[in-house]
């Protein structure tokens, strides 16, 4: 089932038009979740009234909470579908792309994005300044997440339920660019599909873009950049740790192999202990001066350390389990 999330704020004039179009597009099992931030124009009330014509609508009126990203995640949290989708309610996103995004996720993509920056897509008739600003911001944003999208600031995308459940605990839904947050949390190598989006003119209402939104975007970029740097550093630390572990393993593995009978054969372990104690008692050695070098089924090879007033010396000898008399090592 498809769960289509429509985050709204002052979209009372756009919502009825959008619903009329969606009625002809949404032929698959679906639900439409309108998440409204207690709009002054009472978008939430319009959505409630539309439920008589469109019974698949569910409405969440948020009081005391604002922000597109958090509205989307709250919508995801109450959704029942196995495909979660987000689109704007201002008629700037082409509803006919819903089927393409839905099919892409159903066919195995972890996420599908409606992109303005692939062949066939466009930002419409934006003025040059906004077009340049958008491309610059997109370039900065696209270089950060482990999963790359040509349009990481798109507000029109679909995500499979399993992928969302995986990243949900790690999301920090602040500001307006929820897709950028999602991409930054998805595991590297996640499958992404993109379909071209022609960004249309807003018919009613005003754009939500303002200085505060732009500042939130910059802060989000800085936070995600810091997160990526930390991930890269930690990955390198792990690589260094693994290299050190491999060196230590290669260094000590031969010695561990020579002592394997101590760990695997209780009878041999007991014989080694008795033989070394007997040799120490007979020759007046300290057990602490005997270092086990290798264990055999019939004897133990030890290094006897002699403590001198200068450099200590050691002598290799074999101790048979049947006698405490040491024999110099043959090799």
């Amino acid at each position: 089932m498809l769960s289509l999330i429509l985050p709204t704020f002052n979209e009372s004039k756009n919502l009825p038009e959008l619903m009329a179009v969606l009625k002809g597009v949404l032929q698959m099992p679906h639900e439409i979740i309108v998440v409204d931030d207690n709009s002054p124009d009472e978008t939430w009330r319009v959505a409630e009234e539309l439920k008589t014509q469109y019974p698949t609508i569910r409405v969440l009126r948020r009081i005391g909470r604002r922000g597109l990203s958090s509205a989307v995640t709250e919508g995801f949290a109450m959704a029942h579908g196995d495909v979660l989708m987000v689109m704007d309610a201002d008629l700037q996103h082409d509803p006919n792309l819903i089927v393409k995004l839905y099919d892409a996720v159903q066919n195995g993509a972890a996420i599908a994005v409606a992109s303005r920056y692939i062949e066939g897509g466009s930002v419409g008739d934006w003025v040059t300044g906004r077009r340049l600003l958008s491309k610059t911001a997109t370039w900065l944003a696209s270089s950060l997440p482990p999963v790359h999208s040509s349009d990481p600031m798109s507000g029109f995308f679909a995500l499979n339920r399993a992928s969302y459940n995986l990243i949900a605990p790690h999301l920090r839904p602040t500001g307006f660019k929820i897709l950028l947050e999602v991409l930054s949390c998805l595991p590297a190598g996640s499958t992404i599909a993109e379909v071209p989006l022609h960004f249309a003119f807003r018919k009613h209402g005003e754009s939500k873009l303002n200085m505060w939104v732009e500042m939130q975007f910059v802060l989000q970029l800085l936070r995600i950049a810091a997160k990526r740097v930390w991930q890269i550093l930690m990955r390198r630390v792990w690589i260094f740790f693994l290299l050190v572990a491999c060196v230590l393993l290669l260094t000590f593995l031969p010695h561990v192999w020579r002592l394997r009978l101590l760990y695997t054969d209780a009878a041999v372990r007991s014989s080694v202990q008795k033989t070394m104690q007997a040799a120490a008692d007979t020759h007046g050695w300290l057990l602490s001066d005997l270092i086990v070098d290798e264990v055999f089924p019939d004897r133990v090879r030890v290094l006897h350390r002699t403590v001198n007033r200068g450099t200590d010396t050691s002598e290799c000898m074999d101790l048979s389990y049947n006698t405490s008399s040491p024999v110099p090592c043959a090799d």
Side-chain angles (χ1 to χ4, degrees), residues 10-138:
N10 288 341
E11 302 291 357
S12 62
K13 293 182 179 179
N14 288 317
L15 195 57
E17 270 189 70
L18 175 61
M19 290 305 306
V21 177
L22 290 178
K23 183 178 181 180
V25 172
L26 298 176
Q27 300 303 312
M28 73 288 287
H30 69 275
E31 62 180 351
I32 300 171
I33 301 176
V34 178
V35 184
D36 186 70
D37 284 357
N38 197 29
S39 298
D41 74 350
E42 297 189 334
T43 302
W44 53 272
R45 188 184 300 278
V46 173
E48 289 285 0
E49 292 171 352
L50 286 168
K51 290 169 69 173
T52 58
Q53 301 177 60
Y54 309 102
T56 58
I57 291 180
R58 301 168 63 196
V59 182
L60 172 61
R61 179 188 180 188
R62 303 203 309 165
I63 298 176
R65 306 189 298 284
R66 289 284 178 87
L68 184 143
S69 293
S70 60
V72 170
T73 55
E74 286 197 40
F76 282 167
M78 63 184 289
H80 298 138
D82 57 333
V83 176
L84 309 175
M85 189 178 296
V86 184
M87 71 177 295
D88 291 346
D90 56 11
L91 302 172
Q92 291 185 285
H93 292 159
D94 182 1
N96 292 302
L97 297 183
I98 289 175
V99 175
K100 292 183 178 180
L101 295 173
Y102 178 78
D103 287 345
V105 173
Q106 289 288 69
N107 290 329
I111 187 167
V113 178
S115 172
R116 298 162 291 181
Y117 299 110
I118 61 174
E119 185 177 355
S122 76
V123 294
D125 295 324
W126 280 359
V127 296
T128 303
R130 185 176 178 186
R131 189 188 301 267
L132 180 61
L133 180 63
S134 176
K135 284 190 175 182
T136 302
T138 298

Side-chain angles (χ1 to χ4, degrees), residues 164-219:
Y164 177 71
N165 290 342
L166 179 67
I167 67 173
H170 309 290
L171 289 174
R172 293 185 59 181
T174 58
F176 280 67
K177 305 305 178 184
I178 182 61
L179 175 59
L180 179 59
E181 188 71 24
V182 168
L183 292 172
S184 73
C185 293
L186 283 173
S190 297
T191 306
I192 181 170
E194 293 190 325
V195 299
L197 167 67
H198 177 76
F199 205 60
F201 274 122
R202 168 184 281 273
K203 291 189 176 182
H204 307 287
E206 298 179 351
S207 170
K208 310 302 188 298
L209 183 65
N210 55 39
M211 185 65 72
W212 171 239
V213 172
E214 292 174 354
M215 181 60 68
Q216 285 183 310
F217 172 65
V218 171
L219 293 175

Side-chain angles (χ1 to χ4, degrees), residues 228-285:
R228 285 294 291 154
V229 169
W230 176 253
Q231 289 174 336
I232 292 170
L233 287 176
M234 289 305 296
R235 188 178 300 119
R236 290 181 177 177
V237 167
W238 272 105
I239 291 173
F240 176 75
F241 171 79
L242 289 174
L243 287 174
V244 171
C246 288
V247 170
L248 292 176
L249 184 63
L250 292 174
T251 301
F252 291 104
L253 187 59
H255 185 65
V256 171
W257 177 254
R258 293 198 299 270
L259 302 183
R260 66 189 182 281
L261 292 178
L262 282 180
Y263 315 124
T264 61
D265 193 320
V268 169
R269 187 163 55 247
S270 176
S271 296
V272 167
Q273 182 179 5
K274 292 177 181 178
T275 299
M276 291 180 63
Q277 185 65 61
D281 293 342
T282 300
H283 300 283
W285 297 335

